[in-house]
Amino acid sequence: MNHFHRGPDGALWAEDVPLARIAAAVGTPTYVYSRATLTRHFRVFDAAWAGVDHLVCYAVKACSNLAVLDVLARLGAGFDIVSGGELARVIAAGGDPAKVVFSGVGKTEAELEAALTAGILCVNVESAAELEQLDAVAGRMGVRAPISVRVNPDVDPKTHPYIATGLKRNKFGIGWSEARDTYRRAGELAHIEVVGLDFHIGSQLKETAPLVEAIDKAIELVDTLTADGLTIHHLDVGGGLGITYREEAPPSPDEYAQKLIARLGDRPLRVVTEPGRVIVGNAGVMLMRCLLTKRNGDTDFVVVDAGMNDALRPALYDAWHGLEPVAAPRAATRTVDVVGPVCETGDFFARDRELPEVVAGDLLAMRSAGAYGFAMASNYNSRRRPAEVLVDGDGFHVVRDREEIADLFASERVLPEP
Ligand code: LLP
């Protein structure tokens, strides 16, 4: 459930604010997030695990705006980070470093040092080499680094191949057959403290079966490690729960949590989760304006002022996002391609889509844009990245200004004379 709805005027609103009001004040393209939706999604997800000791670590990569992190931190969220930049954001937003887990296949020494200095909950170690490197960094700092080993359970998550991460062929985690040895080695290292076990098999998962398969394997490993004399305090089951973009029917957070909780038995394990998309995906839309319409051959094009640099998912994954006129939709419809100004044929938001008639000047909203929307925006074609707005009841806050033209090359320079 989200708080984007058609108001009494038939136009699209976020909570108690007409989206047209935001576009008039801030311009387009602009990402708009709904605080009530973020709050609801976090609470529903968190409540799904109420029966067990747990920590929900929001995956910062999905949408890392400070205001979004702030809203979630105030609700008690922990955070899953994948870089020193994300750690700095969490801290700047008031997040608690003691609730941070640090994932990723390639972490620099500087990033590991920053994480240990901040006192994070756990580093999710993804290779034998990283384990040795972390031990050395922690040794230099005179501390012990809390770790989980991210194991690669080799299960097929049945999602887009670019976002499947738990197959043997993928770069993520430590192979199943090496996991026990890695833990044995971790137990020997003076500056490593084993605290958990971690997996993440992929994103936009639409069924629980692959997760259940992964958790069963993980639990078997926890039992083996316990017998080996290690104490595994938490099991991190990653993120990945899918959302409805179009007609997908992923399990509810409750169904998902219950399926996994059922496998834990009476083991004294705290469950850590790393949801991103399910928290923020349907809590955001992207506003854009139609610049013009044109017809080439047999195709009608709606050219908008946002492009693949602003919202990459359709170009990169052929992802389907709902597109709606912001004003009350006209009765007449037309089958169109909605495209951006970027010089690539892949720069489209929809192809052969039947939409209510759109004319130059109309505002459109791209739905389900909160996750991996602004977060993947770039300056390609020297385009300024969009503004971001957070709606809160009947008011809204600009939580990121649109970039200025001067920002585009402020950190560049021409060659010295002569
Ligand atoms: N934990 C780890 C270690 C991850 O790699 C990810 C996502 C998550 C948690 C959060 O997954 P989520 O709950 O959001 O599914 N750009 C792609 C998605 C990339 C996901 C990368 N990892 C997209 O737009 O679909």
Side-chain angles (χ1 to χ4, degrees):
M1 207 215 108
N2 63 66
H3 294 262
F4 295 95
H5 60 100
R6 295 266 157 201
D9 53 355
L12 201 55
W13 293 44
E15 302 186 25
D16 299 329
V17 180
L19 289 174
R21 202 170 103 203
I22 297 174
V26 184
T28 50
T30 291
Y31 279 90
V32 180
Y33 311 114
S34 149
R35 180 178 188 174
T37 310
L38 276 173
T39 302
R40 181 185 156 81
H41 288 178
F42 181 81
R43 290 214 171 114
V44 166
F45 192 89
D46 192 47
W49 299 92
V52 293
D53 183 15
H54 70 281
L55 177 66
V56 177
C57 292
Y58 167 70
V60 174
K61 65 168 80 69
C63 178
S64 57
N65 185 283
L66 291 193
V68 169
L69 303 183
D70 177 15
V71 167
L72 296 172
R74 290 185 204 206
L75 295 168
F79 297 95
D80 166 50
I81 60 164
V82 290
S83 70
E86 289 190 349
L87 176 62
R89 281 182 175 277
V90 167
I91 293 170
D96 180 358
K99 292 184 186 170
V100 167
V101 297
F102 188 2
S103 307
V105 285
K107 308 176 183 83
T108 66
E109 296 212 342
E111 286 176 323
L112 291 172
E113 213 176 291
L116 295 178
T117 304
I120 70 165
L121 174 66
C122 162
V123 178
N124 292 339
V125 170
E126 301 215 18
S127 61
E130 182 186 339
L131 185 63
E132 302 293 334
Q133 179 195 28
L134 180 59
D135 180 63
V137 171
R140 277 205 304 276
M141 295 173 65
V143 297
R144 291 185 83 197
I147 67 130
S148 283
V149 172
R150 176 167 174 186
V151 291
N152 183 327
D154 194 23
V155 299
D156 182 357
K158 304 199 172 71
T159 185
H160 190 288
Y162 287 9
I163 53 176
T165 50
L167 284 164
K168 200 158 65 183
R169 170 69 184 80
N170 302 138
K171 68 179 175 181
F172 297 98
I174 287 183
W176 202 250
S177 50
E178 295 110 76
R180 192 176 174 189
D181 280 348
T182 309
Y183 271 103
R184 189 175 298 136
R185 178 69 184 142
E188 288 166 6
L189 291 170
H191 300 286
I192 296 291
E193 185 188 354
V194 171
V195 296
L197 189 141
D198 166 50
F199 65 83
H200 169 79
I201 61 171
S203 195
Q204 183 56 8
L205 307 179
K206 293 180 282 290
E207 43 183 302
T208 49
L211 281 161
V212 169
E213 198 183 327
I215 202 168
D216 280 348
K217 285 185 148 187
I219 283 172
E220 202 184 309
L221 186 55
V222 168
D223 289 346
T224 306
L225 297 172
T226 306
D228 286 347
L230 288 167
T231 308
I232 304 295
H233 298 284
H234 74 244
L235 178 59
D236 181 340
V237 299
L241 183 57
I243 64 170
T244 303
Y245 285 98
R246 191 179 190 178
E247 281 156 350
E248 307 91 328
S252 68
D254 231 24
E255 184 188 341
Y256 158 79
Q258 288 314 317
K259 285 254 169 66
L260 299 193
I261 289 170
R263 322 305 288 192
L264 297 175
D266 54 7
R267 294 170 186 80
L269 281 173
R270 179 180 210 207
V271 178
V272 173
T273 58
E274 303 172 355
R277 193 187 314 262
V278 72
I279 304 294
V280 76
N282 280 322
V285 301
M286 186 183 68
L287 297 181
M288 56 190 132
R289 201 176 281 282
C290 172
L291 295 172
L292 53 93
T293 58
K294 63 185 272 187
R295 188 174 172 85
N296 271 7
D298 292 333
T299 309
D300 283 312
F301 290 96
V302 171
V303 182
V304 293
D305 64 358
M308 63 189 282
N309 70 294
D310 302 300
L312 184 60
R313 302 193 72 257
L316 189 57
Y317 313 112
D318 209 10
W320 193 99
H321 282 260
L323 290 172
E324 295 177 27
V326 168
R330 297 189 177 86
T333 65
R334 192 183 286 274
T335 299
V336 295
D337 281 16
V338 179
V339 299
V342 171
C343 304
E344 302 228 15
T345 300
D347 180 32
F348 62 84
F349 294 136
R351 284 185 294 193
D352 292 328
R353 180 89 58 95
E354 189 178 350
L355 289 182
E357 185 121 47
V358 177
V359 304
D362 283 358
L363 286 170
L364 289 174
M366 173 191 266
R367 302 296 298 257
S368 313
Y372 308 107
F374 186 92
M376 295 205 296
S378 77
N379 293 118
Y380 187 39
N381 276 207
S382 284
R383 291 170 51 79
R384 298 177 290 164
R385 284 180 299 170
E388 291 176 286
V389 164
L390 182 81
V391 170
D392 190 2
D394 59 4
F396 67 88
H397 307 278
V398 179
V399 294
R400 181 185 177 106
D401 293 329
R402 183 179 316 287
E403 284 173 336
E404 301 289 344
I405 295 279
D407 293 335
L408 291 175
F409 45 85
S411 55
E412 298 176 31
R413 54 194 63 86
V414 295
L415 296 181
E417 294 290 342

